[in-house]
Amino acid sequence: MSPKHEYGTIESVEEDEGELELEEEGKVTTIELFSDLVMVVSVHTVAEPLEEEGFTNYGTYLARVFYLWLAWHMITVFMNVSVKQKANNCPVFTFFLFSWMAAISQMAKAFNGDEDVSALKWYLSLRVFETVIFARQVMTPYYAIKLEDGTRKLAMSEAWIAGLRKYVPVMVTNLVVCEIIPLTVAILLGDGKTPYFPAVYASIVMILLVFTIGALRNNLTFDAFDSEHLQERYELITLIFTGELCFAAGKRGNAVASTCVLIMAFVAYLLTFKSAPRKGHMKFWSRSILYSMAGLFLYAGVFCAIPAMGSAFARIIDADEMKKEGHEQKEGAGGISAGDLLSYSSGAFMVFTAFINLINVEQEGKKEIKLVLLKRGLIRLLI
């Protein structure tokens, strides 16, 4: 008889050099898909002020989406480790994810109402929560496999657990230094609703620097996490974000503009999922930590660009509707036009997508070309 998994039967179990290999199961669960939808709606909520004429706080918008993205990414890492442990359908983890969804919705609601101090408090609570459950998950791993004699085994090697435990002190230190301290300063120096934004921006810069330096110092094979699960999660949420453009298409107004939104969504889909080379190339998720981190930052840019595109189309449709009703549209002081917003956001989306596809490229013979150039350089120096 096959050994049983706590949340399903495992068809085959093989042990090779101390590592337990299980038959592949679905990596992304239904609850994760639902959480992605909640995340997209939250970002759409944060992007709603972009539809107002005269909006100028684009730095604030980028900061808000960045914090939403980071909170989503860290809970994705938590679920990623659950996939490695074969416990991603565990009811306790499902409860954690539902709690996270409730908190992220409140955070987005506070951002939408310009209550950034309240939103940052929700964010810090989320990040502490994510760090605690990740540490608990790694320090006390779940024994998912139940054998016939009643004992249990891990679904991964002890070496993998030991390696991942090294991340916990680093995560806690980064959380305190890069997020808790600067954001607490921003909250204390704020006016009750608006935080001290220089401290907020300093926190974002510190996070980016720490992630980048960590990737540079650990440019090894990216095997600490399940790269296929991460890739699937990011591609699925990007697909949902692309569909988010259709929010604008559903607004009452010019049919031509609504059709343009749908065409833009289709083009975004093609650029994201159909433009990357397939044969002889490797996705950045599986190349190294450095490439993975670069891809994560580029996806954060995509998360910012797509809702802005939808907001620009919504403004164009609203302007056309007001014109038909005989109302004059007044541009807000200092605000950019809907056309400019669409140009900037769609341009940024195409740039981010191009770079994502670029770091997927693993040219054949690349190392040989570098070696030839090195030899030529040495010969010139000798001459």
Side-chain angles (χ1 to χ4, degrees), residues 293-307:
M293 199 57 59
L296 297 180
F297 291 158
L298 291 170
Y299 266 112
V302 169
F303 288 5
C304 291
I306 295 180

Side-chain angles (χ1 to χ4, degrees), residues 318-330:
D318 286 340
D320 184 76
E321 183 68 16
M322 291 177 65
K323 188 176 180 181
K324 284 183 179 180
E325 294 177 358
H327 301 291
E328 290 187 6
Q329 186 183 18
K330 297 181 180 179

Side-chain angles (χ1 to χ4, degrees), residues 34 43 45 50 83 203 227 259 262 276 290 334 344 350 359 373:
F34 185 58
V43 175
T45 301
L50 293 176
V83 169
S203 171
S227 60
T259 304
L262 296 176
L290 179 61
Y344 297 147
M350 287 187 284
I359 63 176
L373 293 176

Side-chain angles (χ1 to χ4, degrees), residues 177-193:
V177 175
C178 300
E179 298 177 63
I180 293 179
I181 293 177
L183 292 182
T184 301
V185 171
I187 292 171
L188 294 177
L189 296 181
D191 60 4
K193 289 185 65 175

Side-chain angles (χ1 to χ4, degrees), residues 349-369:
F349 171 78
M350 287 187 284
V351 169
F352 289 132
T353 305
F355 274 106
I356 289 173
N357 290 332
L358 185 63
I359 63 176
N360 285 334
V361 175
E362 180 78 338
Q363 296 180 358
E364 297 177 4
K366 187 175 180 182
K367 294 181 180 179
E368 289 78 0
I369 294 173

Side-chain angles (χ1 to χ4, degrees), residues 259-281:
T259 304
C260 288
V261 180
L262 296 176
I263 294 173
M264 178 65 77
F266 181 63
V267 171
Y269 167 78
L270 292 178
L271 286 172
T272 304
F273 297 100
K274 298 299 181 181
S275 60
R278 293 174 177 269
K279 198 171 182 180
H281 295 77

